[in-house]
């Protein structure tokens, strides 16, 4: 026995070579089931064509409704049926006939398109979303666990960062102090090299005298600066006689 069970697909002209045929539904349309399954509608009269694990009608067991192949899209019009994922299900107006149109089919004015009930694409998308959500939850749990229980490597990294920051601060302070010392040295040296000028006209004499009064510059003695000669009455000296 097989575990395949679900609603049959509709194909125009005939079923595929590896499928189980359920017979014609109307005109050239056939109901088909996957290989390995059974189509009890080909032997007994049932309201709709279903694919079952055995010849027993399994319609009541298909809950929720689904296609016999999970790559098919499912439609419903007076009963569920399936089409290929790139086809569109339709109903023939005024009847209970249904079929599947290819994307490039010209269609027919009597055909009315039906809404997809379930599709392989939406199912796969839901599965992928669930997988992504599960992965995200796992990563969040791992991250929270790692944050709550830091290992030795975290402490080591913290100490290393603190030491690096402290070293950088000390180095910066020392550098600023060295620059300030160099600036002070060059400014002081520049001041020492500047010549010290004295007020003109004073020379080496102080500017102020006793009592804070300014001193006048030195001058010659009274109006006779040159010493006078001795009086003319005084004759020249004579040497003593040689007898002395």
């Amino acid at each position: 026995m097989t575990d395949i069970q679900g609603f049959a697909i509709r194909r125009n002209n005939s079923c595929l070579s590896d499928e189980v045929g359920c017979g014609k539904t109307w005109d050239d349309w056939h109901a088909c089931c996957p290989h390995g399954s059974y189509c009890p509608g080909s032997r007994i009269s049932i309201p709709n064509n279903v694919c079952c694990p055995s010849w027993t009608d399994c319609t009541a067991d298909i809950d929720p409704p689904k296609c016999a192949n999970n790559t098919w899209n499912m439609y419903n019009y007076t009963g569920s049926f399936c089409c290929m994922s790139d086809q569109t299900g339709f109903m023939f107006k005024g009847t209970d006939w249904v079929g599947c149109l290819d994307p490039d089919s010209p269609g027919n004015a009597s055909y009315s398109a039906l809404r997809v009930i379930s599709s392989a694409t939406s199912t796969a998308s839901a599965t992928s979303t669930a997988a992504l959500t599960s992965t995200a939850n796992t990563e969040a749990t791992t991250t929270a666990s790692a944050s709550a229980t830091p290992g030795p490597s975290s402490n080591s990294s913290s100490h290393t960062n603190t030491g690096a920051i402290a070293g950088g601060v000390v180095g910066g302070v020392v550098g600023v102090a060295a620059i300030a010392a160099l600036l002070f040295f060059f400014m002081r040296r520049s001041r020492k090299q500047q010549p010290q000028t004295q007020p003109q006209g004073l020379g080496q004499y102080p500017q102020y005298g006793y009592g804070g009064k300014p001193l006048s510059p030195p001058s010659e003695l009274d109006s006779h600066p040159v010493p006078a000669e001795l009086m003319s009455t005084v004759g020249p000296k004579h040497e003593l006689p040689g007898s002395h």
Side-chain angles (χ1 to χ4, degrees), residues 140-165:
T141 302
T142 303
T143 303
S145 177
S147 300
T149 311
S153 59
S154 299
N155 295 334
S156 176
S157 177
S158 176
H159 292 313
T160 302
N161 293 339
T162 303
I165 293 173

Side-chain angles (χ1 to χ4, degrees), residues 30-61:
H30 293 71
C32 307
C33 290
H35 175 73
S37 63
Y38 298 87
C39 185
S42 64
R43 291 189 175 184
I44 58 176
S45 177
I46 59 175
N48 196 6
N49 286 283
V50 292
C51 307
C52 300
S54 66
W55 288 110
T56 304
D57 183 9
C58 62
T59 303
D61 299 329

Side-chain angles (χ1 to χ4, degrees), residues 5 17 28 60 84 87 102 129 205 209:
Q5 64 180 18
S17 59
D28 289 333
M84 297 293 293
Q87 294 178 329
D102 293 326
T129 303
Y205 298 97

